[in-house]
Amino acid sequence: MDGADGQAKTTYKRVLLKISGEALMGDQGYGLHPPTVQRIAKEVKSVHDMGVEICMVIGGGNIFRGLQGSAQGMERTTADYMGMLATVMNALAMQSALEELDIHTRVISAIPMDQVCEPYIRRRAVRHLEKKRVCIFAAGTGNPYFTTDTAATLRANEMSCEAIFMGKQVDGVYDKDPKKHDDAVRYGQITYDEVLQQHLGVMDASAIALARDNNLPIIVFSLDEPGGFRGILAGEGTYTRVHG
């Protein structure tokens, strides 16, 4: 929906965008694909231009995935810390792309590394958002055994976000994998408990439970659709809303 000046309007004031590390690798099988990072940065800018305060959490699976490392015999805690460091690399790449678009950003890490980014201090992060800076939260929760999905839900609650926007490769939550099944049905809305009971893989179970306990809606949409993030904030496009 557009206002009289043609500028899209939205009821959201502050949101968290969660994307996987794999979203940054484009068609490559590994690492960062700069044109894809730039495309996602433009999506974030289009929402920032609507006056929405944005924070982000980016996974690290394009560089290193802790669970995969531990499955190959690496000690789980070490593997998870390596995964956290991968998220910092992705956050710095996204910061660079956003700042090329004149969007002020802060990378905020749960693991202190002062020469690279800020340590996580909640009140400081809130102040950055109030000043319309995009905050990219890195290094998960700072603890092993927790996924970036859980980190995203935790940070969204701490920042008083109105919703988590999950940028996926599909345009919502389906009853089965739409890439493998032509008869897969997309849900318009679904409850947290239904997601858990049906093992629908929106987020891991602890992240869904944390969102449910704090009544934090999760909007699942396709990040591959140009203009999709902005469109959904303006009430257009296809997506699934996970709520109580």
Side-chain angles (χ1 to χ4, degrees):
M1 100 188 75
D2 289 342
D5 58 359
Q7 173 71 37
K9 303 293 183 187
T10 181
T11 57
Y12 291 99
K13 293 185 176 68
R14 182 180 295 170
V15 301
L16 186 140
L17 174 64
K18 165 64 170 70
I19 60 176
S20 67
E22 287 88 346
L24 303 184
M25 66 188 185
D27 295 330
Q28 302 172 160
Y30 176 83
L32 288 155
H33 184 237
T36 300
V37 178
Q38 289 157 8
R39 178 182 65 79
I40 294 172
K42 286 176 183 170
E43 295 279 324
V44 173
K45 181 184 188 302
S46 70
V47 171
H48 185 270
D49 289 348
M50 296 167 77
V52 179
E53 296 170 7
I54 306 168
C55 40
M56 297 179 69
V57 169
I58 307 172
N62 57 319
I63 298 170
F64 189 87
R65 184 178 289 281
L67 270 173
Q68 225 165 36
S70 67
Q72 292 169 6
M74 189 177 289
E75 196 266 323
R76 172 67 189 270
T77 304
T78 301
D80 278 356
Y81 279 124
M82 291 173 70
M84 289 180 221
L85 295 176
T87 71
V88 177
M89 295 170 71
N90 285 339
L92 292 171
M94 182 58 63
Q95 178 180 46
S96 176
L98 284 167
E99 295 200 333
E100 279 181 26
L101 301 172
D102 295 322
I103 304 292
H104 294 296
T105 72
R106 293 291 187 275
V107 173
I108 301 172
S109 171
I111 299 173
M113 46 184 87
D114 295 347
Q115 277 107 329
V116 177
C117 48
E118 286 188 10
Y120 177 70
I121 300 169
R122 189 187 69 83
R123 291 174 69 91
R124 183 188 289 176
V126 169
R127 187 74 182 120
H128 288 320
L129 291 172
E130 290 169 350
K131 290 182 176 179
K132 305 301 179 187
R133 295 166 182 155
V134 173
C135 289
I136 309 172
F137 296 115
T141 65
N143 301 289
Y145 296 95
F146 288 92
T147 65
T148 50
D149 284 347
T150 305
T153 312
L154 174 65
R155 296 293 184 239
N157 280 310
E158 288 180 298
M159 295 298 107
S160 302
C161 292
E162 293 154 311
I164 297 176
F165 283 75
M166 293 280 293
K168 299 268 192 180
Q169 293 175 313
V170 290
D171 60 354
V173 180
Y174 285 77
D175 61 347
K176 49 191 157 185
D177 189 342
K179 293 180 179 176
K180 295 178 183 172
H181 303 276
D182 292 338
D183 60 342
V185 177
R186 183 180 59 80
Y187 298 102
Q189 298 192 47
I190 191 167
T191 67
Y192 305 112
D193 287 336
E194 287 169 334
V195 168
L196 290 170
Q197 287 159 11
Q198 297 176 43
H199 304 287
L200 293 174
V202 177
M203 287 176 145
D204 69 80
S206 55
I208 290 285
L210 184 58
R212 179 191 62 194
D213 293 347
N214 293 278
N215 202 26
L216 179 67
I218 302 163
I219 313 294
V220 182
F221 72 104
S222 172
L223 200 63
D224 292 341
E225 190 70 36
F229 186 26
R230 180 179 184 275
I232 286 162
L233 276 154
E236 301 155 6
T238 55
Y239 57 90
T240 299
R241 181 183 176 89
V242 184
H243 60 92

